[in-house]
Amino acid sequence: MDTSFRVVGKALIQLVVTVAVIWVLLFGSAGTLDWPRAWWFMAAFVIAILIAVAVLYRLNPEIFAARARVQPGTKLWDYIFIALVIGGMVAILPVAGFDRRLGGAGAPDWVVLVGYAIFIASFVGQTWPQAVNRHFEPGVRIQQDRGQTVIDTGPYAYVRHPGYISGSLLALSIALVLGSWWALIPVAVVIVGLMVRTVFEERTLRAELPGYADYTRRVKWRWVPGVW
């Protein structure tokens, strides 16, 4: 069996496990299955992941192995940010669930619709950089074993860290589609964690990745053109 096909198979198994965990976190904390917004979010999440998997399998199949786990050589300080960002992302679900249990999570429908627009944008923003960047790993390290070079095509021609801004948008969108204002608290943790991680990662790349300093002079913005 083709290696990339096996890796995709593992990714789909991980998706099943992830969906099960999301189900438990959402409905367990809410204490009810009568939560249409949560069901709609889960359906949208599965559809978005399947589309992303199909696109990446076609354009950059090795990304599945690269992102399967935190790779050896990841900077020790980055484990703090990995835990912080993943923990914040996961916390959005039970916080929204408890909000629902206590009679909240009732943001207006227009907020939910805005959330889905951001959700779609975030998945496009996650898939595009992974499609053009074979070095898009979950941890910060200089990938000498994979011949890492500076990527300046696709979204990297406009901003230096498109995956971080799209990850922040994903966190925000989840809170909004679930209609929970309280869930914006862990969203803030995710965004701040990614912003600080960006600064640490940039120091590493400037110091250790040939050509990155020149790249920062060509592409001036980390996340949002004209802002930062």
Side-chain angles (χ1 to χ4, degrees):
M1 183 181 296
D2 181 70
T3 300
S4 61
F5 185 79
R6 287 201 302 268
V7 172
V8 171
K10 291 180 180 179
L12 294 177
I13 292 173
Q14 290 175 349
L15 172 60
V16 173
V17 174
T18 299
V19 170
V21 171
I22 290 174
W23 188 91
V24 171
L25 290 174
L26 283 174
F27 295 105
S29 57
T32 179
L33 296 178
D34 184 19
W35 190 9
R37 287 177 175 178
W39 286 109
W40 281 111
F41 160 67
M42 291 187 63
F45 179 81
V46 171
I47 292 171
I49 289 290
L50 291 176
I51 292 173
V53 167
V55 170
L56 293 175
Y57 182 73
R58 174 68 177 82
L59 298 178
N60 186 18
E62 67 179 296
I63 198 67
F64 295 103
R67 293 192 57 78
R69 62 188 179 91
V70 178
Q71 303 295 335
T74 295
K75 299 295 183 179
L76 292 178
W77 51 260
D78 194 38
Y79 286 93
I80 298 174
F81 291 111
I82 292 172
L84 186 66
V85 171
I86 293 178
M89 191 73 77
V90 171
I92 294 170
L93 304 176
V95 169
F98 280 115
D99 192 5
R100 172 71 173 79
R101 180 190 289 260
L102 297 175
D109 288 341
W110 69 265
V111 171
V112 176
L113 292 176
V114 169
Y116 275 109
I118 297 174
F119 179 82
I120 294 170
S122 73
F123 261 91
V124 173
Q126 282 285 297
T127 305
W128 190 14
Q130 291 184 67
V132 301
N133 184 4
R134 61 184 296 269
H135 305 295
F136 197 105
E137 291 188 358
V140 175
R141 71 184 184 105
I142 302 301
Q143 301 168 33
Q144 296 177 345
D145 56 320
R146 303 182 66 225
Q148 184 174 2
T149 57
V150 174
I151 304 298
D152 58 2
T153 59
Y156 295 96
Y158 307 101
V159 293
R160 303 202 294 265
H161 299 275
Y164 288 169
I165 181 61
S166 57
S168 298
L169 291 176
L170 176 60
L172 174 61
S173 72
I174 294 173
L176 296 183
V177 301
L178 293 174
S180 174
W181 299 120
W182 282 106
L184 293 176
I185 295 175
V187 169
V189 173
V190 172
I191 294 174
V192 172
L194 287 174
M195 291 180 70
V196 178
R197 188 193 198 196
T198 298
V199 175
F200 276 77
E201 182 174 354
E202 290 246 304
R203 291 176 182 174
T204 299
L205 294 173
R206 285 176 182 271
E208 302 180 31
L209 182 62
Y212 192 81
D214 290 336
Y215 169 65
T216 62
R217 286 188 283 270
R218 298 196 308 273
V219 179
K220 299 183 181 299
W221 307 107
R222 294 180 178 92
W223 281 25
V224 182
V227 180
W228 186 59

